[in-house]
Amino acid sequence: MKISSKQIKEKANELGFLACGVIKANIFDDYKENLDKRIKSFPNSAKLHESLFNIVKQGDDAKSIIVFTQRHNMYKVPASLNNVIGKVYQMDPRVSYSREQQKNALFEDWLKLKGIKILPSGVPVRLAAAKAGLGKIGRNNFFYDLKHGSYVWINARVVDKELEYDSIEEDIALSSCNDECQNCVSSCPTNALSNAFSMDRSRCITHLTCFEQTSINKDTLSRMGSWLYGCDVCQDSCPFNKDKFNGSEDYPLLSEFEEYLTPDRIIGMDEETYQNTVNPRFWYMGKDNLWQWKRNALRAMINSSDKKYHSIIKEHANHGDQRIREIAQWGIEKLLI
């Protein structure tokens, strides 16, 4: 059964995706080159960046990449989660019951029905979307839809069929990201952003809150503020994003999780509650890493300088887990309590 790129795009539009593009697989030599540059610029992040080389290794069966986008700025951010949980993780389109994931499933089923095999290959999705002409890349490394800003989610599927390809977009930089605008760089709390279109991943708050398993230096801890999972600072400070996250819809079931996502609830949370309630929805830290949530919660308490947390901080200075204990001890030193 012969299927055309035009039909694929029409189906994506019918399902309500923002945009869809089709490009040839194995066109990411520049991605590899940029990773090499980052490794040289930020040797502390070398291992973190080296792991990304795997997402451009595609087999002989990989012929085409179908890229499609959808927005999440139609939703509203609960006040209690603002500057606490990154927006895209609150409105995660990968959650099985979300309408975004349901659209993804319908699209995949339709592709398979048309005889297209979806391959288990990785894709640098931001670069793929920009190359397909669906938007641009900002100085903060995020992909920007020209109507909805960076508040979009990108999906890409590597498939086994030769298709008609879109012209590859060479100028992928957001035009407003010039030398005169340094908002994202100057606002980054931990100085993870420095040069345009580059980043020290080891200093990024999203990495530090979700993935970092080792000790974090005291200066960086102080700069991480109240974030428990992810970070929005470089996106929210971007002039191009102004007034683009102003939705009024409630994200399905988010209110049911909201009560669990406070420093107080997390610091006192038991393993069963975590594994059955929080981790299935916010899974980056892993089912056995409640300690990491607790470390984040304790650091947020300390950075708030709120005296109501002093007794909790002092109590955790004798915690059985050294990773929790060292944060509490840092807090006692910082707050002079």
Side-chain angles (χ1 to χ4, degrees):
M1 180 185 297
K2 182 67 175 176
I3 185 75
S4 69
S5 293
K6 180 181 178 182
Q7 289 172 293
I8 291 172
K9 292 177 183 178
E10 287 174 347
K11 185 63 179 180
N13 182 66
E14 176 190 321
L15 289 171
F17 292 108
L18 277 179
C20 179
V22 182
I23 57 176
K24 189 175 180 63
N26 298 307
I27 58 167
F28 297 109
D29 287 341
D30 50 348
Y31 182 81
K32 299 174 185 177
E33 293 169 5
N34 285 327
L35 276 180
D36 283 331
K37 290 179 182 177
R38 287 200 184 187
I39 289 170
K40 291 179 181 178
S41 299
F42 308 112
N44 289 339
S45 294
K47 289 184 178 180
L48 301 175
H49 287 126
E50 285 169 357
S51 64
L52 299 177
F53 282 109
N54 292 327
I55 67 174
V56 292
K57 293 180 179 178
Q58 294 158 5
D60 294 337
D61 291 342
K63 305 299 181 185
S64 306
I65 297 172
I66 302 169
V67 194
F68 46 105
T69 58
Q70 51 192 324
R71 68 190 182 101
H72 58 270
N73 62 343
M74 76 287 281
Y75 298 111
K76 63 182 179 183
V77 177
S80 69
L81 300 185
N82 192 39
N83 296 326
V84 174
I85 306 291
K87 294 183 184 67
V88 73
Y89 304 119
Q90 294 181 44
M91 294 80 183
D92 199 324
R94 297 164 296 184
V95 175
S96 60
Y97 53 77
S98 72
R99 64 190 184 200
E100 290 80 12
Q101 182 59 26
Q102 290 164 7
K103 286 194 297 185
N104 289 343
L106 288 172
F107 195 32
E108 287 191 0
D109 288 345
W110 181 84
L111 290 171
K112 293 173 184 176
L113 187 64
K114 296 299 181 180
I116 293 179
K117 182 179 180 181
I118 298 172
L119 304 174
S121 300
V123 177
V125 291
R126 297 178 186 179
L127 183 57
K131 283 180 175 289
L134 307 188
K136 300 291 185 178
I137 302 291
R139 181 184 291 272
N140 58 7
N141 303 290
F142 279 90
F143 171 83
Y144 281 74
D145 173 89
L146 299 186
K147 182 177 180 181
H148 299 285
S150 63
Y151 304 121
V152 296
W153 186 265
I154 310 164
N155 290 278
R157 299 293 182 268
V158 181
V159 301
D160 66 338
K161 299 295 183 185
E162 294 277 3
L163 298 164
E164 303 86 18
Y165 301 121
D166 295 311
S167 298
I168 295 299
E169 182 64 48
E170 299 295 339
D171 182 13
I172 63 172
L174 190 67
S175 60
S176 58
C177 287
N178 51 51
D179 291 339
E180 295 178 4
C181 183
Q182 297 283 333
N183 285 38
C184 61
V185 173
S186 61
S187 67
C188 180
T190 55
N191 297 325
L193 295 174
S194 51
N195 298 322
F197 315 111
S198 189
M199 184 184 71
D200 182 349
R201 191 177 174 191
S202 70
R203 299 178 67 89
C204 175
I205 290 177
T206 295
H207 168 77
L208 292 170
T209 55
C210 297
F211 303 108
E212 185 56 60
Q213 302 266 318
T214 62
S215 296
I216 302 170
N217 71 68
K218 295 176 182 179
D219 178 63
T220 301
L221 286 170
S222 293
R223 293 169 178 266
M224 290 173 67
S226 59
W227 293 103
L228 298 180
Y229 193 95
C231 178
D232 290 323
V233 174
C234 69
Q235 295 181 82
D236 288 348
S237 66
C238 175
F240 195 85
N241 273 339
K242 186 178 180 181
D243 298 326
K244 288 186 171 66
F245 207 112
N246 54 7
S248 58
E249 297 183 37
D250 291 319
Y251 187 85
L253 304 182
L254 181 59
S255 60
E256 297 187 12
F257 293 96
E258 188 179 354
E259 64 176 296
Y260 295 98
L261 302 175
T262 66
D264 306 73
R265 286 297 301 271
I266 291 168
I267 207 69
M269 189 172 291
D270 59 77
E271 292 286 347
E272 182 179 3
T273 301
Y274 172 68
Q275 293 187 12
N276 292 334
T277 305
V278 177
N279 184 246
R281 178 63 172 78
F282 302 93
W283 61 82
Y284 280 157
M285 293 187 207
K287 66 178 183 178
D288 297 320
N289 287 344
L290 174 57
W291 72 266
Q292 201 167 348
W293 277 96
K294 289 180 181 288
R295 179 174 74 171
N296 290 344
L298 199 57
R299 184 253 307 144
M301 289 178 173
I302 294 164
N303 284 338
S304 76
S305 298
D306 193 326
K307 291 183 179 180
K308 72 179 183 180
Y309 293 129
H310 284 191
S311 61
I312 296 175
I313 295 167
K314 288 192 288 187
E315 175 188 341
H316 282 76
N318 297 311
H319 197 276
D321 190 320
Q322 181 181 350
R323 298 165 297 189
I324 304 297
R325 193 164 62 244
E326 69 179 17
I327 296 295
Q329 291 169 350
W330 162 71
I332 291 172
E333 176 186 325
K334 176 183 170 71
L335 300 175
L336 301 176
I337 57 175

